[in-house]
Amino acid sequence: MLVNVLRFSFKDGTTEKEKAKVLAVMRRTGAVEAVSFSVVGQFLGDSAEGFTHAYCAAVADLEALDQYLHDPVHIAGDDEILPHIAKLSAFQLSDDMDPTLGERVMGMHLKKVARYPRWGQALDAISDLGGPSGSSSTG
């Protein structure tokens, strides 16, 4: 199982209606066939970190991750989501102890950035991402 966790906050001026739409789009993305389970909602960690919401999506394996990353629903959803995000932090975890797994997941992320450069640029535009789109995998 591979689990992708995003912590995020909305840009100032984002209306409650826009926030609700973004969360609904995230739920739609989390419901694509490749996803085993997903959760979208409030971030319950330290508010001083500046995050207000979180998204978690789990996939069974690398094949499912590839399907998830390139699912048309996911691709379209990011165009609706990313313009509203002010701050984003992503991390992944897995019960697969393969020492090459992290590199393989990052390779899949970089392949997506190469295929969808506008997506990579949108990620780069969000603060707290950790540098260039190649240094953080948001799925």
Side-chain angles (χ1 to χ4, degrees), residues 61-82:
D61 52 29
L62 289 174
E63 182 179 328
L65 178 61
D66 189 58
Q67 291 171 358
Y68 169 72
L69 289 173
H70 299 284
D71 189 295
V73 170
H74 189 178
I75 299 298
D78 283 347
D79 287 340
E80 296 179 69
I81 295 165
L82 294 177

Side-chain angles (χ1 to χ4, degrees), residues 22-123:
V22 167
L23 297 177
V25 171
M26 288 180 162
R27 287 184 186 96
R28 183 182 73 201
T29 299
V32 300
E33 185 178 344
V35 175
S36 298
F37 69 85
S38 67
V39 177
V40 180
Q42 65 176 318
F43 175 64
L44 300 176
D46 184 355
S47 62
E49 292 181 272
F51 300 108
T52 57
H53 292 78
Y55 169 84
C56 172
V59 296
D61 52 29
L62 289 174
E63 182 179 328
L65 178 61
D66 189 58
Q67 291 171 358
Y68 169 72
L69 289 173
H70 299 284
D71 189 295
V73 170
H74 189 178
I75 299 298
D78 283 347
D79 287 340
E80 296 179 69
I81 295 165
L82 294 177
H84 296 284
I85 304 301
K87 184 174 181 172
L88 178 67
S89 173
F91 66 90
Q92 297 74 39
L93 58 123
S94 179
D95 58 356
D96 182 340
M97 299 306 290
D98 177 349
T100 68
L101 185 61
E103 290 175 19
R104 292 165 67 194
V105 168
M106 181 55 71
M108 293 171 78
H109 169 75
L110 293 174
K111 194 180 210 179
K112 183 175 178 178
V113 169
R115 184 171 178 183
Y116 304 101
R118 200 180 65 164
W119 177 75
Q121 292 165 354
L123 290 177

